[in-house]
Amino acid sequence: MKAITTIFAAVLLAGTSSAALAATPDARIQSLEDQIQSLAKQLQDLKADAAQQQQAVQAQQEALKKSQADAVAQQAEYKKQQTTTAKASVTNGRLAVASADGNFTAAVRGLLQVDSGYYMQQGSATSLPTAYGPDLSSGTNLRRVFLGLQGKVFGDWNYYFLYDFGGSSVETPGHILYAYLQYDGLAPWSFRVGAYPAPINLEDSTASADLMFFERNSSSNLQRNIAGAEGRDGISVLYTGERIYGALSLTGNKIADGAKAYGAMGGTAVPNYDEQSAVSGRLAYLPVATDDAHWIVGVNGLDVFSLPNLVPNGAASLATVPGATAKGTYSFADLPEFSVDSNGISLVSTGALAASHVTSWGVETAANYQNFYGQAGYTGYAVHRTPIAYNIYSAVGTFAPAPVQPSNNSFSGWYVQGSWIITGENRIYNPATASFTGPKVSKPLSLKDGTWGALEFAARFSDLNLNSHKDDASNVVTAWTAASRTYTYYNTVRGGDQKIVTLAVNWYPNAAVRISADYQYIDVSRLQTPATVTTAATPVLATLNGGQKLSTVAMRFQLSL
């Protein structure tokens, strides 16, 4: 602008100078002065205009800066409002609330399973003692009625509260299944504390709503109840990688067993002076992971290194006082993979075994390929026995208390199961638990559209053997009269061998509803426990039959939210 003004002034000066040369000197001087004053005024006007233009530009720049600042402030305020505004949603019937940033969530969880079934027993079963199930109760049972809340706070902290108002055999007034806090800020590592089923095996890690059959197979269910299952106090370290899953847990009693000691799914309630303490672990690896297939292999184990103390001050009474209560006992038993019997009778059971600690280990595998699924596992159990004191007779009227050391006991179980979803869906691998969920229904039931949901056929064979030294004739004489002697067999455990074949049809009308029909053939081979034998002749180990063969048919109606 300054350069243009200078050139313009020079041109005007040159023009006026040329005109002035043609006039008289005085006139020329006056003319030049007038022209100079005119040029000066024009220059002042030009400078004023330039200053005004510069001020206008500065004002525009200031206005632009203010507009940008206002936009940034408005954007920040909008983000603030978004982060403090909760969002509600309903997915497959499940109500959930979450903050916009996802750091705070809460979802209602629920599960309803209504079972109705019928036991078809042979006539010979009526001659069995009550403990061996002569007349199992057919009928209807609310197997699971779960209601709870699950979510997270401040992003890295997860919580889960879940209560059950149903039950195996009979319904309950309500008890805690899950009540835990979990920290996930060091992913893939996480840390959990509270009450929950500590991860022990593949079936245990499969949610109740995703099971192919009414119940978990007996060998897996027995193992999980030793040191895990719902409502168990514990603390766990979890690792959930893309290919590797690991869990290590320290557990105690179940919440419902805080003042009692029941053993594994059975036993007599007695005072509990110190809780059980156990350590358990599960390790799984995923060698195959494609769009069409997943294959997982794993191992697991547990050790109940401190059984509940059943006598005050931890005294091992049974080892020193004949007929007294042992410091610790454990019972192995399981329902026959179906539980509408209101009496809760287990067809296989070891009874209470005096023990110092209990161990278990297992191997397992599972795979899906498109709409086919298969799973198998083997589990071993061991009971380390403690001495039992008897009044041992050496002649008529002559006896002395003495401890007898029973042999340690080993038991086993295994299963194989599979399914075929004929509508094309597949069971989905869940890396968070290293297990498989139920199928995701691609075409929910719609009479208008002519779609019918998903249909699955499944089959399973399981074998649980709770016999140990069942033909061991080791005994002591616990009574001696002139006419006879009483022999007590302290080594023999005749829990029975239970084999079950299960066939199932599962219909999934949609993601929340499932209707199932199951058929079971149950073959229990079991000899009655030889508590004592009183005879005047040579003692013979009792071989009374305690087993039976039976079938069950059942329906389940399930709603899962």
Side-chain angles (χ1 to χ4, degrees), residues 387-409:
I388 303 173
Y390 295 99
N391 287 322
I392 300 177
Y393 283 71
S394 57
V396 176
T398 303
F399 66 89
V404 174
Q405 176 62 62
S407 299
N408 293 335
N409 301 121

Side-chain angles (χ1 to χ4, degrees), residues 158 193 409 496:
N158 284 272
V193 62
N409 301 121

Side-chain angles (χ1 to χ4, degrees), residues 64-340:
L64 180 61
K65 289 180 179 179
K66 186 176 183 304
S67 297
Q68 291 176 340
D70 290 343
V72 171
Q74 290 176 359
Q75 187 177 15
E77 181 64 22
Y78 176 76
K79 288 183 177 180
K80 182 179 179 181
Q81 292 177 356
Q82 287 293 100
T83 56
T84 57
T85 301
K87 296 182 178 180
S89 63
V90 177
T91 304
N92 296 326
R94 181 184 301 168
L95 175 63
V97 179
S99 61
D101 59 4
N103 286 330
F104 298 86
T105 66
V108 176
R109 301 301 304 268
L111 176 64
L112 171 65
Q113 292 179 341
V114 182
D115 293 352
S116 181
Y118 182 72
Y119 295 94
M120 295 174 285
Q121 297 179 265
Q122 296 177 338
S124 58
T126 59
S127 62
L128 295 174
T130 302
Y132 292 79
D135 185 14
L136 301 176
S137 174
S138 303
T140 301
N141 180 42
L142 295 179
R143 176 61 181 93
R144 295 178 176 93
V145 184
F146 293 175
L147 183 62
L149 191 68
Q150 183 179 24
K152 62 182 177 179
V153 293
F154 296 98
D156 294 330
W157 297 89
N158 284 272
Y159 63 88
Y160 196 5
F161 301 101
L162 190 67
Y163 299 84
D164 185 17
F165 300 89
S168 58
S169 303
V170 295
E171 295 79 8
T172 66
H175 59 279
I176 295 173
L177 297 183
Y178 289 76
Y180 71 75
L181 178 67
Q182 179 172 309
Y183 180 69
D184 294 328
L186 298 175
W189 295 94
S190 57
F191 305 88
R192 181 182 299 176
V193 62
Y196 54 92
I200 289 182
N201 56 49
L202 181 58
E203 281 278 87
D204 171 62
S205 298
T206 303
S208 299
D210 294 324
L211 297 173
M212 283 193 294
F213 307 94
F214 282 25
E215 303 293 336
R216 295 173 174 89
N217 67 82
S218 289
S219 59
S220 296
N221 198 51
L222 179 63
Q223 186 187 41
R224 77 190 295 260
N225 276 289
I226 295 174
E230 291 84 356
R232 179 80 65 178
D233 293 331
I235 181 170
S236 298
V237 179
L238 308 173
Y239 180 86
T240 52
E242 293 183 2
R243 296 274 185 168
I244 297 177
Y245 173 89
L248 183 64
S249 304
L250 178 65
T251 65
N253 268 15
K254 289 184 179 181
I255 290 178
D257 296 347
K260 303 290 182 180
Y262 290 95
M265 294 295 288
T268 302
V270 295
N272 183 347
Y273 294 96
D274 283 305
E275 288 190 8
Q276 167 180 305
S277 297
V279 62
S280 65
R282 181 184 174 218
L283 182 63
Y285 175 62
L286 188 70
V288 175
T290 67
D291 291 340
D292 289 335
H294 294 82
W295 175 38
I296 188 173
V297 293
V299 295
N300 57 66
L302 63 86
D303 183 3
V304 183
F305 55 85
S306 178
L307 293 177
N309 284 348
L310 309 184
V311 291
N313 303 315
S317 299
L318 196 62
T320 55
V321 180
T325 301
K327 175 183 178 181
T329 64
Y330 220 82
S331 301
F332 287 88
D334 194 58
L335 299 174
E337 300 179 354
F338 180 56
S339 59
V340 299

Side-chain angles (χ1 to χ4, degrees), residues 128 256 315 466 479 509 513 544:
L128 295 174
L466 297 183
V513 177
L544 293 175

